[in-house]
Amino acid sequence: MDFNLKKLTSDAGVFFTRAVQFTEEKLGSAEKTELDAHLENLIARADCTKNWTEKIFRQTEVLLQPNPIDHTGARIEEFFYEKLDKKIPSRTTNGELLGQYMLDAAKDFGPGTPYGSTLITVGEYQSRLGGAEREFLQTSAINFLTPLRNFLEGDWRTISKERRLLENRRLDLDICKARVKKAKQAEAKAACEGDLWSEEVDKAEQELRVAQTEFDRQAEVTRLLLEGISSTHVNHLRCLHEFVEAQATYYAQCHQYMQELQKELSSANSDTYPNSFASNAKPSTSATCPSPVSSATLPGVSPPCLASSSTPGIAQEPSGQLKIQDVQQPSTGHRKAKVLYDYDAHDTSELSLLADELITVYTVPGMDPDWLVGERGNQKGKVPVTYLELLS
């Protein structure tokens, strides 16, 4: 008990002395030993690495799990699994959950109905998308998030501990320097007691040598740890490549699934409405057309080109070209369409269009599949399919 009390008293005295030295340095009344330039650069580089690694880690967590505190309590569950050092169980993604809801809804609506069969198709692909997302999340957590977390919670804590110890050794060194300086000043003033003050100077210088040795040793340990930051950068670079690779694989899978889904839906629509509308898929033409992106939102982007044809629009009849004015809107098979781009009619058989307006469109026997008949009020004319978004 006495030993512990003495140690506690000694530690309190050391802490108080260091606090006084630190305060005097801040006030400018005490000298401070500066670290060498190389060590200062290493410390600044380490602080920069820690700060940006922490920001990247947190933002990646937000990217992979935008709403961690949801009704499932995912973040709390992950916290306990991490503390227990156990593997986090696989969790159903939102895409998989949406797909399951669609499949269940299709059972109630009737899988034989157009809506029910489409729900089944879309639900299956949503489940696939959700599975791809789950695999991406797991791969990113293992290959990218875990190494960053290990650095912040492991290597950086060790570095911080050694840096605090180095700061204490520096304070002890400066305290010893101050004691030697005071002892020499007192020796000069009390020349008559030279022997006594000579002993005090020798004691202070001995303590200074010990403090200098401990400071140098701790500076070397800290320097070696800080130089390891270069290896950390190399490791994080490899992890970053793996993260990008996982992203590329995930988005490629999503793109493939969505293309397959669009093909299935287009095929299903053609079977359900064989003669009503032109297919929503990109028409097969001799000219290459860009994807339909609104020219109103992207200035300078040209609207999609039209298929090259010697007689575009309504096909030629043996007795001559069918006149657009003679075409009558059918009682069924017409629908609304949103105009994606401005279009100027090239002749009286075509209808000029303004972006974002709604028109009624339909097809008639003998029409080129790249064109529809469009009506806006009393106006009527041919319109290119690639300039339209057909609405249900």
Side-chain angles (χ1 to χ4, degrees), residues 119-130:
L119 279 173
I120 292 176
T121 302
V122 176
E124 290 175 347
Y125 276 95
Q126 291 299 326
S127 297
R128 295 182 190 179
L129 291 170

Side-chain angles (χ1 to χ4, degrees), residues 78-97:
E78 288 182 1
F79 174 79
F80 282 112
Y81 273 102
E82 289 175 2
K83 294 303 179 184
L84 295 174
D85 196 21
K86 292 184 178 293
K87 183 179 179 181
I88 301 175
S90 179
R91 186 180 297 106
T92 302
T93 63
N94 291 327
E96 291 174 312
L97 190 60

Side-chain angles (χ1 to χ4, degrees), residues 56-78:
I56 292 173
F57 175 78
R58 300 302 178 197
Q59 192 58 37
T60 305
E61 278 192 322
V62 173
L63 173 67
L64 299 180
Q65 196 173 359
N67 187 23
I69 306 177
D70 57 7
H71 66 281
T72 64
R75 178 55 61 85
I76 297 176
E77 181 185 5
E78 288 182 1

Side-chain angles (χ1 to χ4, degrees), residues 18-257:
R18 289 172 177 170
V20 171
Q21 175 67 24
F22 182 80
T23 303
E24 290 179 349
E25 288 176 357
K26 291 297 182 182
L27 296 175
S29 58
E31 296 182 359
K32 177 181 177 180
T33 299
E34 299 294 340
L35 303 177
D36 63 84
H38 177 61
L39 188 56
E40 289 283 6
N41 290 335
L42 290 176
I43 291 175
R45 186 164 178 252
D47 287 336
C48 183
T49 299
K50 183 262 182 181
N51 293 335
W52 283 114
T53 300
E54 195 170 42
K55 290 180 179 179
I56 292 173
F57 175 78
R58 300 302 178 197
Q59 192 58 37
T60 305
E61 278 192 322
V62 173
L63 173 67
L64 299 180
Q65 196 173 359
N67 187 23
I69 306 177
D70 57 7
H71 66 281
T72 64
R75 178 55 61 85
I76 297 176
E77 181 185 5
E78 288 182 1
F79 174 79
F80 282 112
Y81 273 102
E82 289 175 2
K83 294 303 179 184
L84 295 174
D85 196 21
K86 292 184 178 293
K87 183 179 179 181
I88 301 175
S90 179
R91 186 180 297 106
T92 302
T93 63
N94 291 327
E96 291 174 312
L97 190 60
L98 174 60
Q100 188 59 49
Y101 286 166
M102 289 183 173
L103 294 175
D104 293 342
K107 295 178 182 178
D108 288 342
F109 296 146
T113 63
Y115 184 37
S117 61
T118 303
L119 279 173
I120 292 176
T121 302
V122 176
E124 290 175 347
Y125 276 95
Q126 291 299 326
S127 297
R128 295 182 190 179
L129 291 170
E133 180 186 7
R134 185 178 68 253
E135 183 177 352
F136 166 62
L137 295 179
Q138 292 175 346
T139 303
S140 299
I142 294 173
N143 296 338
F144 190 62
L145 283 181
T146 298
L148 298 186
R149 182 187 294 109
N150 290 341
F151 168 74
L152 294 172
E153 297 181 356
D155 296 348
W156 182 252
R157 288 184 179 180
T158 301
I159 292 174
S160 298
K161 178 182 177 181
E162 297 301 327
R163 283 178 60 182
R164 288 193 297 269
L165 189 56
L166 176 63
E167 178 65 11
N168 290 336
R169 294 289 180 262
R170 185 197 63 75
L171 289 172
D172 293 341
L173 176 62
D174 288 336
I175 290 171
C176 291
K177 288 181 178 180
R179 286 175 181 172
V180 170
K181 185 178 180 179
K182 290 180 181 178
K184 288 183 177 181
Q185 290 176 347
E187 182 185 27
K189 290 182 180 180
C192 60
E193 300 178 3
D195 294 338
L196 176 61
W197 282 105
S198 178
E199 293 178 0
E200 291 294 329
V201 171
D202 292 342
K203 180 180 178 181
E205 289 179 342
Q206 177 62 26
E207 291 177 351
L208 176 60
R209 286 191 290 270
V210 172
Q212 184 69 57
T213 300
E214 293 181 351
F215 172 76
D216 292 341
R217 184 185 301 113
Q218 186 58 38
E220 181 65 16
V221 171
T222 306
R223 181 185 64 79
L224 292 175
L225 285 174
L226 293 174
E227 288 177 346
I229 291 294
S230 297
S231 299
T232 299
H233 285 189
V234 173
N235 183 40
H236 289 181
L237 174 61
R238 177 183 57 81
C239 297
L240 183 60
H241 279 284
E242 294 179 353
F243 175 63
V244 172
E245 185 67 25
Q247 272 189 314
T249 301
Y250 168 61
Y251 290 128
Q253 285 180 329
C254 292
H255 180 66
Q256 178 184 351
Y257 290 151

Side-chain angles (χ1 to χ4, degrees), residues 360-378:
T360 301
V361 295
Y362 53 90
T363 186
V364 295
M367 283 197 68
D368 188 311
D370 296 327
W371 295 77
L372 293 173
V373 177
E375 290 188 4
R376 181 181 55 237
N378 296 327

Side-chain angles (χ1 to χ4, degrees), residues 266 277-292 304-309 340-341 367-372 383-388 390:
S266 298
F277 299 100
S279 173
N280 284 335
K282 183 186 291 186
S284 176
T285 65
S286 58
T288 302
C289 301
S291 300
C305 56
L306 300 176
S308 61
S309 173
L340 299 177
Y341 320 97
M367 283 197 68
D368 188 311
D370 296 327
W371 295 77
L372 293 173
V383 292
V385 174
T386 52
Y387 280 65
L388 305 174
L390 300 180

Side-chain angles (χ1 to χ4, degrees), residues 351-362:
L351 179 66
S352 295
L353 303 175
L354 294 176
D356 296 328
E357 70 172 334
L358 295 178
I359 62 173
T360 301
V361 295
Y362 53 90

